Amino acid sequence: MIRKERSKIPVKTLLLGQGTCCISAGAEQVYTALKREIAQLGMADSVQVKRTGLCHGFCQLDPVVIIEPEGLLYSEVKVDDVPEIARSFLPGERLVERLFYHSPVTGEAIPRYRDIAFYQRQQRTVLKNCGYIDPEEIDDYLTNGGYQALRQVLLEMTPEQVIKQVKDSGLRGLGGAGFPTGRKWESCYQAAENEKYVVCNADEGDPGAFQDRSILEGDPHSVLEGMIIAGYAVGAAQGYIYVRAEYPLAVKRLRSAIVQAREEGFLGEDIFGSGFGFDIEIFPGAGAFVCGESTALVLSIEGKRGMPKPLPRPRTTEVGLWNKPTLLNNVKTFAAIRWIINKGADWFSSIGTKKSKGTAIFSLTGKTVNCGLIEVPMGITLREIIFGIGGGIPDNKKFKAVQTGGPSGGVLPESLLDTAIDFDSLTAAGSMMGSGGMVVVDEETCMVDLARYFLDFTQKESCGQCSLCRLGSLQMLEILTAITKGEGRMADIDLLIELGEGIKIGSLCGLGQSAPNPVLSTIRYFRAEYEAHILMQQCPAKRCKALISYYIVPDKCTGCTACQRQCPVNAITGDRKKIHVIDQNKCTRCGICLSVCPERFSAVESVPGRLVSGD
Amino acid sequence: MERVRDILTGYTGKRHELVPILQEIQTELGYLPEEALVMIATFTGIPESEAFAIATFYSQFRLTPTGRNRVMVCRGTACHVKGAPQILEEIENYLNIKEGETTPDLEFTLESVACIGCCALAPCIMVNNKDVHGRLTPKRVRGIFSDSKGKEQDTS
Ligand SMILES: Cc1cc2nc3c(=O)[nH]c(=O)nc-3n(C[C@H](O)[C@H](O)[C@H](O)COP(=O)(O)O)c2cc1C
Ligand code: FES
């Protein structure tokens, strides 16, 4: 028997991510092809091809194949590469060097993923299993220590002890506000009601962030385990997961995880024979940013319009879902619980800064060489993240700013790159930790346009109950739009600040209270760019159409007529083999001329400001 | 409306089932016809005006029919700074409709969505709520559409 087991142990395991990103890059086809090819070569026993919920978070290299135990990484694998990969496992065959990750700096091949800068500086704790385990196989979670924390909690700890451990760990809510998790649990525990609920906030409203989706797709049981433990601690028997509708794969994986957890007895009645029972239902959100706010989320589950409750309002931990005490935490907060129970509060609080313990999970996106899901200790600097893990800005462009906290957060300029990040330092700098979105922008992004973009978003998502938020943000949006069109006045900048401060103070909920942040922080750090739009009628980043011009460089133009033929308003004159000229009065700045000018000529350029014909 | 009636039999009529019911009916019919909303209101015992209020509050719901293929362009931050506006413009030009509209042959509906969650592959679009296309350029956009049009014709 034992011998049989042993002969089955694979010599190598190929890990293939199957998250939304990976699948869009063709990971499913690669998986099927690899399995088939390995089987055809008769290696099915020694080389195991395994699906994991997620790539390792280095989404941009998808599809990625990781080969364990060596920890080799093949990147951007295509179906056509599969036969070569499969053959490389035959004795004496060479590895497929061309698929190794190559350092963007030295061009050198880096075979092992642990040596890649993107991974080197991370500290994977909550994300440890993401990319290693198959999220649709509960056994895989179990062999990686899954549900042991739950077992320990139910059989060896009292609810008070659980709450104390969470409190001692220093964990703060990872959904945005950073509220101390242990205190929230305690408040719900103390609420005198028999019926209570646990709700997981997986609405992930920040456009430009995907860390919650990644955890749900990659390691759904860790969230369930955290919720069940929370249920035991606060005295609830029912949990809900509120997931946004745009995440079909996350919903599917959660569904199957719940079914399997029920089958194994981790959900349902009398878990581990402890007498404690708990169950979880999924509630798909229907696409409203404001529903991420706790009171709105609760109303949304009740089948009503998700509008934050007016102030003064009781705490959700006292009067929540169906007016019962309700514990609401973010996906990442729940996912961290099992590690705190397993490894202890001291271990967790040894990571991070004085007031922000543990790790932070970000989706690093935008203009960095490496994009993806990262986990870092609190207190790391922005520079280490953006230039260390992110590899800096591609195409020799200059770093301009980093946006954190999504529509509720702000932008931080280069001078703040050495800020050690935690909940408090980011807030002090005019931004916030938020849920973990981190978007890097380079010199090509216009800060006025970015502020306008966020305000356009929050203004549309305002639930409309309070007039300061609804009308104030609309007025700010109108002013910003005017500035991007070259119709701004200098007094507008101060007016924006005044309106913004007013909306922050006077709005009912977190949406309005934080909506002006992107505007206020861009004015604080990039005022000169606002002034260029207003005083010089120029968009320095060349994004605002009304404030740029297209220009044909006479020395480069060969008179090929490509632009002239495509111009929709016939603004370009010049015959074949003669230099073309744009009539600036007719030009609508659609940019078609720039994109059709053959690359070998590159004669069309965009310049900040409005040219007058004849310039 | 037979189908709506069938779907309703799977529920008890409690208020909190409203959003899931609307979601299931929209998945089935592609949108929420007025008649269906009236039936749902009666079924869950809420005023019709309330059913409409809910259906218009959440951006997921549509009160008009959609085309056979739903194209959702991400307007999230990562996509925005990596050129989503140009991608949207390119698709609008290609399909000759604006965001929120459906082509006259009912083949495509063009919508935008807050974020698809594949921000590392920005800019991206999602087709029919399942196929995500990332790292787009205006050129690649045209490729996707000529492909899917080709496929449609093959199967028909
Ligand atoms: C407008 C608005 C949107 C929010 N969106 C989210 C969200 O998408 N996900 C989330 O976890 N928290 C969101 N929050 C924060 C929640 O209200 C709440 O603080 C959080 O879910 C609590 O969980 P935590 O203590 O684990 O952080 C949002 C808050 C506001 C005001
Ligand atoms: S910003 Fe486009 S997918 Fe997230």
Side-chain angles (χ1 to χ4, degrees):
Chain A
M1 177 72 195
I2 288 172
R3 192 183 295 149
K4 199 169 169 199
E5 285 278 293
R6 214 176 258 161
S7 72
K8 265 193 152 175
I9 293 175
V11 185
K12 281 189 200 302
T13 305
L14 312 188
L15 300 171
L16 223 94
Q18 306 277 317
T20 301
C21 308
C22 322
I23 290 176
S24 87
E28 269 178 329
Q29 290 85 329
V30 172
Y31 170 77
T32 324
L34 254 179
K35 262 206 110 105
R36 192 184 52 224
E37 203 72 28
I38 297 276
Q40 274 175 5
L41 293 175
M43 296 190 290
D45 278 346
S46 57
V47 181
Q48 180 198 16
V49 187
K50 179 169 152 186
R51 269 192 284 206
T52 65
L54 208 70
C55 58
H56 277 209
F58 206 166
C59 314
Q60 177 204 337
L61 296 185
D62 286 340
V64 165
V65 178
I66 301 244
I67 301 154
E68 296 286 10
E70 293 89 344
L72 299 173
L73 178 144
Y74 287 147
S75 63
E76 296 183 64
V77 176
K78 310 255 171 336
V79 172
D80 294 343
D81 301 323
V82 166
E84 198 179 341
I85 295 178
R87 267 199 312 278
S88 76
F89 298 114
L90 291 170
E93 287 292 330
R94 286 174 63 90
L95 297 167
V96 192
E97 204 223 304
R98 69 186 167 86
L99 293 176
F100 287 145
Y101 174 78
H102 288 75
S103 158
V105 186
T106 61
E108 199 187 343
I110 307 180
R112 284 153 42 99
Y113 72 85
R114 288 184 192 88
D115 300 330
I116 299 175
F118 180 79
Y119 294 106
Q120 252 176 355
R121 293 167 211 236
Q122 291 195 50
Q123 180 166 350
R124 295 221 161 191
T125 308
V126 177
L127 295 180
K128 195 159 177 258
N129 279 340
C130 280
Y132 276 101
I133 61 168
D134 183 338
E136 304 197 24
E137 291 295 341
I138 194 168
D139 284 345
D140 223 17
Y141 183 66
L142 293 175
T143 40
N144 283 283
Y147 291 109
Q148 270 165 23
L150 178 66
R151 183 193 185 87
Q152 188 186 337
V153 162
L154 293 187
L155 300 183
E156 295 164 24
M157 293 169 85
T158 62
E160 294 84 351
Q161 285 171 326
V162 178
I163 292 171
K164 179 159 188 308
Q165 187 152 346
V166 176
K167 263 175 123 175
D168 290 347
S169 74
L171 174 67
R172 292 172 65 173
L174 296 166
F179 191 84
T181 305
R183 266 180 39 211
K184 196 186 261 186
W185 287 28
E186 190 173 51
S187 149
C188 190
Y189 165 76
Q190 285 166 348
E193 278 267 8
N194 287 333
E195 216 177 309
K196 297 180 188 177
Y197 296 99
V198 170
V199 178
C200 173
N201 191 343
D203 195 40
E204 190 145 86
D206 172 0
F210 56 94
Q211 61 289 331
D212 293 354
R213 168 183 72 73
S214 304
I215 294 175
L216 296 176
E217 286 180 7
D219 194 9
H221 286 288
S222 68
V223 180
L224 302 187
E225 187 169 357
M227 288 180 71
I228 308 169
I229 293 174
Y232 174 73
V234 304
Q238 179 66 45
Y240 290 93
I241 306 179
Y242 189 92
V243 204
R244 55 187 308 206
E246 287 87 359
Y247 289 174
L249 187 63
V251 173
K252 180 174 158 248
R253 297 247 166 98
L254 271 176
R255 285 229 158 87
S256 92
I258 290 175
V259 169
Q260 292 185 22
R262 279 195 196 123
E263 281 168 7
E264 299 284 331
F266 302 128
L267 280 175
E269 280 165 26
D270 196 18
I271 303 168
F272 285 119
S274 64
F276 171 72
F278 193 77
D279 209 351
I280 296 178
E281 262 181 56
I282 297 173
F283 191 93
F289 175 64
V290 75
C291 286
E293 195 272 342
S294 11
T295 58
L297 187 146
V298 160
L299 286 172
S300 180
I301 295 185
E302 290 174 5
K304 302 180 183 137
R305 273 181 292 173
M307 295 197 184
K309 287 191 187 155
L311 292 165
R313 59 184 170 225
R315 289 203 188 146
T316 308
T317 45
E318 283 151 23
V319 182
L321 194 55
W322 293 299
N323 293 326
K324 301 292 178 197
T326 300
L327 176 74
L328 177 82
N329 276 131
N330 172 262
V331 172
K332 297 179 287 297
T333 315
F334 282 122
I337 296 296
R338 65 167 284 213
W339 300 103
I340 292 174
I341 302 285
N342 277 336
K343 298 195 172 187
D346 290 344
W347 163 81
F348 190 84
S349 63
S350 71
I351 310 168
T353 63
K354 198 153 174 271
K355 286 168 120 185
S356 303
K357 300 298 182 192
T359 55
I361 298 173
F362 289 107
S363 14
L364 178 64
T365 61
K367 303 285 185 68
T368 47
V369 172
N370 309 326
C371 294
L373 179 71
I374 62 167
E375 181 171 2
V376 289
M378 295 275 184
I380 191 173
T381 65
L382 286 167
R383 189 183 300 281
E384 282 173 84
I385 295 183
I386 297 164
F387 290 88
I389 297 171
I393 316 298
D395 306 328
N396 292 321
K397 296 266 163 46
K398 230 173 103 39
F399 169 86
K400 187 169 195 176
V402 51
Q403 209 282 340
T404 64
S408 312
V411 297
L412 303 172
E414 188 163 12
S415 59
L416 292 179
L417 275 179
D418 293 306
T419 311
I421 48 166
D422 64 14
F423 288 106
D424 311 296
S425 66
L426 285 180
T427 310
S431 185
M432 63 187 271
M433 182 79 104
S435 181
M438 184 177 277
V439 186
V440 177
V441 302
D442 65 8
E443 56 193 287
E444 290 186 338
T445 297
C446 167
M447 295 323 250
V448 186
D449 175 69
L450 191 66
R452 201 196 63 81
Y453 162 80
F454 278 118
L455 217 68
D456 181 52
F457 177 85
T458 32
Q459 189 272 323
K460 283 185 187 138
E461 295 289 337
S462 166
C463 75
Q465 277 184 106
C466 59
S467 37
L468 258 177
C469 170
R470 186 185 66 223
L471 299 174
S473 63
L474 184 63
Q475 197 183 346
M476 284 180 84
L477 178 63
E478 280 167 0
I479 297 174
L480 286 167
T481 309
I483 298 178
T484 58
K485 285 189 173 157
E487 294 158 7
R489 299 159 310 154
M490 280 306 279
D492 284 345
I493 301 182
D494 288 328
L495 185 58
L496 281 173
I497 297 177
E498 199 183 315
L499 275 167
E501 297 295 349
I503 296 170
K504 276 180 85 149
I505 298 166
S507 293
L508 196 66
C509 83
L511 188 145
Q513 286 157 10
S514 61
N517 284 346
V519 185
L520 296 175
S521 64
T522 44
I523 296 180
R524 179 165 161 194
Y525 298 118
F526 296 92
R527 197 182 182 109
E529 213 169 314
Y530 280 79
E531 290 172 356
H533 282 72
I534 297 170
L535 291 177
M536 291 148 75
Q537 298 280 302
Q538 282 187 1
C539 174
K542 301 187 284 191
R543 285 293 117 183
C544 299
K545 276 199 173 157
L547 300 177
I548 59 164
S549 306
Y550 290 95
Y551 170 70
I552 300 174
V553 184
D555 290 348
K556 291 186 180 170
C557 179
T558 59
C560 72
T561 73
C563 60
Q564 193 228 31
R565 275 176 287 135
Q566 297 280 341
C567 178
V569 292
N570 297 323
I572 301 178
T573 49
D575 295 326
R576 176 163 284 280
K577 300 243 154 78
K578 296 237 171 72
I579 293 167
H580 299 342
V581 178
I582 300 174
D583 180 346
Q584 298 294 342
N585 293 329
K586 275 192 186 168
C587 174
T588 57
R589 293 172 295 278
C590 67
I592 290 182
C593 49
L594 184 105
S595 55
V596 297
C597 180
E599 227 176 297
R600 56 186 192 281
F601 306 141
S602 298
V604 184
E605 287 177 1
S606 62
V607 289
R610 293 302 317 276
L611 295 176
V612 185
S613 272
D615 271 4
Chain B
M1 289 302 113
E2 256 329 290
R3 301 236 289 286
V4 175
R5 223 162 275 134
D6 281 350
I7 289 173
L8 291 181
T9 54
Y11 292 89
T12 56
K14 292 222 184 68
R15 166 86 201 219
H16 72 273
E17 293 172 341
L18 188 61
V19 172
I21 293 177
L22 293 176
Q23 285 173 332
E24 192 176 340
I25 290 180
Q26 174 155 306
T27 310
E28 183 70 24
L29 304 178
Y31 75 112
L32 300 171
E34 197 175 324
E35 263 180 283
L37 280 176
V38 173
M39 281 168 63
I40 295 164
T42 323
F43 180 71
T44 51
I46 57 169
E48 281 167 31
S49 61
E50 181 71 14
F52 277 90
I54 300 274
T56 49
F57 180 82
Y58 292 103
S59 64
Q60 191 194 3
F61 298 124
R62 309 184 44 103
L63 303 182
T64 45
T66 58
R68 275 178 285 277
N69 297 294
R70 284 179 68 188
V71 180
M72 296 203 265
V73 181
C74 175
R75 58 181 154 87
T77 319
C79 290
H80 180 80
V81 304
K82 284 201 161 176
Q86 288 87 298
I87 300 294
L88 180 65
E89 212 177 292
E90 184 72 20
I91 301 178
E92 284 179 339
N93 288 340
Y94 185 77
L95 296 178
N96 207 7
I97 50 173
K98 291 268 167 239
E99 181 195 331
E101 294 178 352
T102 301
T103 50
D105 61 0
L106 291 182
E107 201 56 51
F108 293 101
T109 295
L110 182 58
E111 296 168 319
S112 72
V113 55
C115 171
I116 296 171
C118 292
C119 325
L121 303 180
C124 30
I125 65 171
M126 176 149 83
V127 181
N128 295 332
N129 222 11
K130 56 180 205 300
D131 303 327
V132 176
H133 302 272
R135 294 193 200 107
L136 290 176
T137 57
K139 249 208 198 98
R140 281 200 53 209
V141 164
R142 284 178 185 261
I144 292 170
F145 282 96
S146 41
D147 274 6
S148 71
K149 270 195 170 159
K151 259 188 230 155
E152 282 297 312
Q153 274 151 15
D154 282 350
T155 49
S156 63

